[in-house]
């Protein structure tokens, strides 16, 4: 025993109390860092999701804008505001996606082009769906588009609107738009 004391006499060590205090301080600093970082990460995540929603909305509105702004002289908005028709085409939202139905074109008794249903690539939506799409006549040849996209998993909704001028139309009519069953996708 005397030999052991002699061996340990010049050595310095750490006591149990010092170890416990070190662990406690480390835990306090770690919890403090988590408390500070977590809200910042949550804000970053929310901003990233809203930015993606804005990008998806812009893609959809740009697609609609191209078709409506270059439409011919017969632009019609359904009384419900859910459908807009132009140049033998119908534009509306169905099952969370933007759909454009181009009707069959017949000239002199012959089919010039078959009916086609067009929709955006599913990757364009980035997990969002079209929750609400409404068309409103502002005046003469102006159409207001109200769009809401929704991400059900993240529980985020983003709404925007855009006013489009129909360059080839003097007056937009608001009447019932007759839509036959063949217009809707049959999946």
């Amino acid at each position: 025993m005397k030999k052991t004391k002699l061996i340990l006499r010049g050595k310095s060590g750490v006591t149990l109390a010092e170890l416990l205090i070190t662990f406690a301080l480390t835990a306090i600093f770690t919890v403090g860092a988590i408390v500070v970082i977590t809200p910042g990460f949550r804000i970053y995540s929310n901003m990233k999701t809203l930015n993606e929603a804005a990008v998806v909305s812009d893609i959809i509105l740009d697609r609609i804008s191209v078709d409506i702004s270059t439409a011919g002289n017969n632009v019609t908005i359904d009384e419900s505001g859910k459908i807009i028709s132009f140049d033998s085409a119908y534009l509306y939202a169905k099952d969370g996606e933007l759909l454009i139905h181009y009707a069959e074109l017949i000239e002199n008794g012959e089919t010039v082009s078959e009916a086609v249903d067009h929709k955006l690539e599913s990757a364009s939506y980035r997990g969002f769906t079209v929750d609400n799409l409404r068309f409103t006549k502002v005046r003469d040849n102006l159409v207001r588009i109200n769009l809401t996209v929704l991400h059900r998993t993240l529980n985020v909704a983003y709404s925007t609107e855009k006013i489009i001028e129909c360059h080839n139309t003097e007056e937009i009519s608001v009447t019932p738009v007759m839509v036959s069953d063949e217009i809707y996708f049959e999946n």
Side-chain angles (χ1 to χ4, degrees):
M1 180 106 151
K2 214 175 199 182
K3 244 185 186 180
T4 309
K5 283 185 181 181
L6 288 174
I7 293 173
L8 293 178
R9 184 165 281 213
K11 307 280 182 180
S12 61
V14 179
T15 65
L16 180 60
E18 292 171 331
L19 263 176
L20 290 175
I21 290 172
T22 302
F23 286 139
L25 288 175
T26 302
I28 290 170
F29 289 134
T30 303
V31 169
I34 290 172
V35 167
V36 169
I37 291 172
T38 301
F41 180 74
R42 211 174 291 132
I43 290 169
Y44 166 76
S45 179
N46 288 342
M47 292 306 295
K48 181 180 174 192
T49 303
L50 286 176
N51 186 40
E52 284 187 13
V55 168
V56 170
S57 295
D58 286 345
I59 290 169
I60 294 169
L61 286 175
D62 287 347
R63 179 66 176 110
I64 294 170
S65 298
V66 167
D67 282 341
I68 293 176
S69 65
T70 60
N73 198 22
N74 56 349
V75 177
T76 304
I77 298 174
D78 184 59
E79 289 175 332
S80 68
K82 294 180 181 180
I83 303 169
I84 190 166
S85 67
F86 50 90
D87 301 333
S88 70
Y90 300 90
L91 196 144
Y92 55 97
K94 184 173 189 310
D95 297 330
E97 295 182 324
L98 173 68
L99 301 178
I100 304 168
H101 173 75
Y102 297 99
E104 178 181 47
L105 292 177
I106 300 174
E107 288 182 10
N108 300 326
E110 291 192 30
T111 301
V112 176
S113 67
E114 297 289 327
V116 176
D117 288 327
H118 174 74
K119 60 182 178 178
L120 294 174
E121 295 285 329
S122 57
S124 301
Y125 291 100
R126 299 179 183 189
F128 288 87
T129 58
V130 176
D131 186 52
N132 186 23
L133 178 62
R134 292 286 185 268
F135 303 97
T136 311
K137 176 183 174 180
V138 177
R139 65 180 163 84
D140 298 337
N141 65 342
L142 297 179
V143 176
R144 175 182 288 120
I145 305 166
N146 294 87
L147 173 67
T148 302
V149 293
L150 177 67
H151 198 295
R152 296 192 192 286
T153 307
L154 300 175
N155 198 26
V156 172
Y158 180 82
S159 297
T160 188
E161 73 174 41
K162 187 173 187 176
I163 296 178
I164 306 296
E165 180 180 6
C166 301
H167 299 290
N168 302 324
T169 303
E170 292 178 20
E171 181 73 28
I172 297 168
S173 60
V174 179
T175 60
V177 174
M178 300 305 290
V179 179
S180 66
D181 290 338
E182 66 188 39
I183 288 175
Y184 293 99
F185 277 86
E186 295 182 21
N187 292 348

